[in-house]
């Protein structure tokens, strides 16, 4: 019986020795870090490869506190893990940076499990996978992702810019084509009259003097219209090239406006339009280029007559203000749609009025605005479709 008991005890010794050997073999073979801690956090065992990863010998780590080999910033993670295990959580996973023997930080993904004995935590087993490289790669991927987003954003902005540039170029091209076709049309109409009337005169030697004079007059007027058009184009390109020369001297703006109204009365009467004025009683002396200001007012009065139906009214007002003068040209004409108003001072812009054939090049107001700008003046427009349009110009009397 005693011999049997002896035998059993030898057997169980052999079993636990074998188990220990197996555990040692497993610890030895394992590549990841394995730490066996007591309930207070002292390292009771560590595998060889794990210790080597931290550049320690196995025996250097035994009986050291785990906190000693963890970076201070990870103390909280470890403390929380311990607390969790003590509070009964069976297994806890977290990340913590360990400090190697040569002060290198190594990041581990850790799984910790508590081993209970007699209802008390006996030991804590921690298995740590070195994820430093993985983290570096994920960080790299993240920063690449961010720069990819940034690059995509820049590409998008560049693409939008290129599209904008392309649409500006397309718009310029469209305007240019439209201008060429407008101007050709504008040139062809007076030219056709000039050629037609000249041929009629030439082919009819018996034509009455009265008719000949009338035809000659038409030829002269159409010729003048042609010259005006060509001058418009040249003037604008001169202004844009900064080559327009101003001849500035002092003159009476009221007298000038009276002259302009006198010159326009005929064309207003021809359309049965009442052209009236309300001018300051006194002289308004301004320092400006008289011819250019005359062209500006003439064009605005011309437009007012052109875009007003028979029986309508056009009025020119001149006011003497403190340091400036105001010229208002107002009509009861067809008006400008609200959406077109911001564009009427742009080159070649013409309000589209399908079904009506009012001649023009879309250059008149460009010229007007450029001249007023060069005199440091200001031009505004108010208009209502079917009710009429008012252009108001403020001009400094003595601009430097
Ligand atoms: P255009 O040679 O075509 O008349 P402008 O530059 O003088 O060119 O005018 C630009 C556009 O503004 C015109 O096409 C016309 O539709 C509009 N406009 C100018 N003045 C008036 C006005 N008094 N009443 C209505 N529309 C006007």
């Amino acid at each position: 019986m005693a011999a049997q008991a002896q035998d059993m005890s030898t057997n169980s010794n052999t079993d636990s020795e074998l188990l220990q050997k197996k555990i040692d073999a497993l610890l030895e073979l394992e590549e990841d870090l394995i730490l066996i801690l007591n309930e207070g956090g002292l390292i009771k065992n560590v595998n060889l490869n794990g210790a080597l990863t931290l550049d320690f010998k196995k025996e250097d780590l035994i009986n050291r506190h785990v906190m000693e080999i963890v970076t201070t910033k990870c103390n909280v993670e470890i403390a929380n893990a311990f607390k969790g295990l003590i509070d009964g959580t069976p297994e806890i996973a977290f990340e913590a940076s360990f400090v190697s023997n040569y002060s290198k930080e190594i990041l581990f993904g850790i799984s910790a499990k508590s081993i209970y004995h007699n209802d008390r935590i006996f030991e804590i087993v921690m298995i740590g996978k070195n994820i430093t490289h993985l983290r570096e790669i994920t960080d790299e991927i993240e920063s690449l992702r961010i720069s990819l987003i940034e690059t995509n954003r820049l590409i998008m902005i560049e693409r939008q810019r290129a599209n904008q540039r392309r649409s500006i170029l397309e718009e310029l091209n469209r305007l240019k084509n439209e201008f060429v076709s407008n101007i050709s049309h504008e040139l062809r109409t007076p030219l056709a009259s000039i050629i037609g009337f000249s041929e009629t005169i030439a082919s009819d030697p018996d034509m009455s003097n009265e008719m000949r004079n009338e035809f000659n007059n038409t030829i002269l007027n159409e010729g003048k219209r042609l010259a005006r058009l060509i001058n418009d184009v040249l003037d604008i390109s001169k202004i844009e090239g900064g080559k327009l020369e101003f001849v500035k001297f002092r003159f009476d703006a009221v007298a000038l406006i009276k002259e302009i109204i006198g010159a326009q009365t005929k064309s207003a009467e021809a359309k049965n339009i009442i052209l009236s004025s309300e001018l300051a009683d006194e002289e308004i002396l301004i320092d400006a280029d008289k011819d250019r200001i005359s062209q500006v007012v003439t064009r605005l009065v011309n437009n007012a007559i052109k875009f007003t139906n028979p029986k309508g009214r056009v009025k020119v007002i001149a006011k003497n203000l403190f340091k400036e003068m105001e010229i208002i040209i107002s009509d009861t004409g067809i008006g400008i749609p609200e959406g077109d108003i911001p564009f009427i001072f742009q080159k070649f812009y013409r309000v589209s009025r399908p079904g009506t054939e009012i001649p023009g090049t879309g250059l008149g107001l460009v010229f007007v605005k450029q001249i007023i700008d060069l005199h440091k003046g200001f031009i505004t427009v108010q208009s209502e479709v079917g009710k009429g349009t008012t252009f108001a110009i403020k001009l400094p009397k003595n601009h430097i």
Side-chain angles (χ1 to χ4, degrees):
M1 189 66 184
Q4 203 180 351
Q6 168 89 38
D7 220 28
M8 273 179 69
S9 128
T10 322
N11 267 353
S12 83
N13 272 348
T14 325
D15 281 353
S16 71
E17 267 169 35
L18 271 176
L19 186 63
Q20 190 54 51
K21 277 185 183 164
K22 280 183 200 166
I23 290 171
D24 287 346
L26 280 173
L27 282 177
E28 212 108 305
L29 290 171
E30 180 55 52
E31 289 285 329
D32 296 336
L33 169 71
I34 299 179
L35 288 173
I36 297 170
L37 314 175
N38 72 6
E39 79 285 6
L42 278 188
I43 300 170
K44 300 315 292 177
N45 202 353
V46 59
N47 64 328
L48 185 70
N49 289 329
L52 285 175
T53 311
L54 294 169
D55 300 315
F56 283 108
K57 284 194 215 133
K58 205 174 144 152
E59 52 275 23
D60 291 341
L61 291 174
I62 305 285
N63 283 330
R64 281 179 74 175
H65 198 278
V66 68
M67 291 296 199
E68 289 177 41
I69 55 164
V70 169
T71 56
T72 27
K73 65 180 182 228
C74 288
N75 286 353
V76 182
E77 273 88 349
I78 298 274
N80 284 344
F82 267 74
K83 191 173 174 311
L85 293 169
I86 288 162
D87 288 349
T89 313
E91 191 179 325
I92 287 191
F94 60 99
E95 285 180 7
S97 290
F98 284 63
V99 192
S100 82
N101 200 14
Y102 303 125
S103 305
K104 199 170 86 187
E105 274 191 29
I106 303 171
L107 183 70
F108 285 93
I110 292 181
S111 296
K113 198 169 169 58
S114 44
I115 297 168
Y116 276 82
H117 185 62
N118 290 339
D119 288 339
R120 289 193 54 222
I121 290 187
F122 169 60
E123 278 179 340
I124 291 168
V125 180
M126 282 187 176
I127 297 191
K129 192 169 265 307
N130 184 348
I131 55 168
T132 317
H133 192 50
L134 190 72
R135 173 54 55 89
E136 279 165 9
I137 290 173
T138 20
D139 285 353
E140 182 115 333
I141 288 173
E142 182 56 19
S143 80
L144 283 175
R145 199 181 63 83
I146 291 168
S147 32
L148 189 71
I149 292 172
E150 182 68 359
T151 313
N152 277 339
R153 212 173 54 82
L154 290 176
I155 289 173
M156 227 168 71
I157 292 172
E158 267 316 304
R159 199 171 287 154
Q160 274 168 357
R161 275 198 199 136
N163 282 345
Q164 265 169 9
R165 271 197 293 268
R166 201 179 52 214
S167 54
I168 289 172
L169 284 179
E170 279 169 4
E171 180 62 8
L172 282 177
N173 205 28
R174 196 186 63 74
L175 287 173
K176 192 193 79 193
N177 288 341
E178 205 177 286
F179 171 68
V180 170
S181 109
N182 278 344
I183 201 121
S184 313
H185 180 77
E186 290 301 308
L187 291 172
R188 212 170 34 206
T189 319
L191 260 182
S193 299
I194 291 169
I195 294 167
F197 283 111
S198 311
E199 276 173 354
T200 318
I201 293 172
S203 65
D204 185 1
D206 302 330
M207 185 182 280
S208 71
N209 271 348
E210 198 184 331
M211 193 173 263
R212 190 183 298 268
N213 282 342
E214 197 183 311
F215 283 6
N216 271 336
N217 227 358
T218 311
I219 291 170
L220 185 66
N221 282 338
E222 293 299 310
K224 280 182 181 167
R225 192 171 141 194
L226 256 184
R228 220 172 27 236
L229 189 69
I230 291 163
N231 282 339
D232 265 8
V233 177
L234 291 178
D235 277 349
I236 283 175
S237 65
K238 256 196 221 160
I239 293 177
E240 291 189 339
K243 290 188 189 127
L244 192 80
E245 280 181 17
F246 268 168
V247 188
K248 235 176 51 176
F249 55 88
R250 188 159 294 185
F251 64 93
D252 174 17
V254 175
L256 176 72
I257 292 170
K258 275 184 191 159
E259 267 174 43
I260 295 169
I261 293 173
Q264 295 292 319
T265 312
K266 243 186 174 177
S267 61
E269 275 172 6
K271 263 188 97 180
N272 200 7
I273 286 170
I274 301 167
L275 176 59
S276 64
S277 62
E278 194 180 305
L279 308 176
D281 294 333
E282 71 279 11
E283 283 185 334
I284 306 178
L285 294 175
I286 62 167
D287 293 326
D289 186 319
K290 189 178 175 188
D291 284 348
R292 297 295 174 193
I293 297 297
S294 166
Q295 283 172 322
V296 163
V297 180
T298 304
R299 270 158 207 256
L300 291 175
V301 175
N302 254 329
N303 271 357
I305 295 171
K306 188 160 84 170
F307 295 105
T308 299
N309 291 325
K311 292 193 185 136
R313 289 186 310 277
V314 172
K315 189 171 192 174
V316 184
I317 300 169
K319 288 185 196 168
N320 195 358
L321 305 177
F322 178 49
K323 284 191 168 174
E324 48 191 15
M325 75 162 300
E326 188 172 32
I327 307 169
I328 296 169
I329 297 105
S330 176
D331 64 61
T332 58
I334 56 176
I336 305 169
E338 207 184 327
D340 288 294
I341 290 179
F343 306 106
I344 56 167
F345 293 106
Q346 279 180 14
K347 235 190 293 175
F348 314 131
Y349 192 85
R350 303 187 66 209
V351 176
S352 147
R353 295 185 176 98
T356 53
E357 257 309 309
I358 305 173
T361 53
L363 289 177
L365 290 180
V366 181
F367 175 81
V368 165
K369 178 148 180 7
Q370 284 174 337
I371 294 294
I372 297 301
D373 284 350
L374 286 172
H375 280 85
K376 307 241 180 331
F378 201 65
I379 180 162
T380 54
V381 56
Q382 279 182 329
S383 189
E384 204 176 326
V385 172
K387 294 244 168 97
T389 304
T390 301
F391 283 92
I393 294 171
K394 283 213 171 126
L395 266 183
K397 285 192 266 187
N398 316 99
H399 92 269
I400 302 148

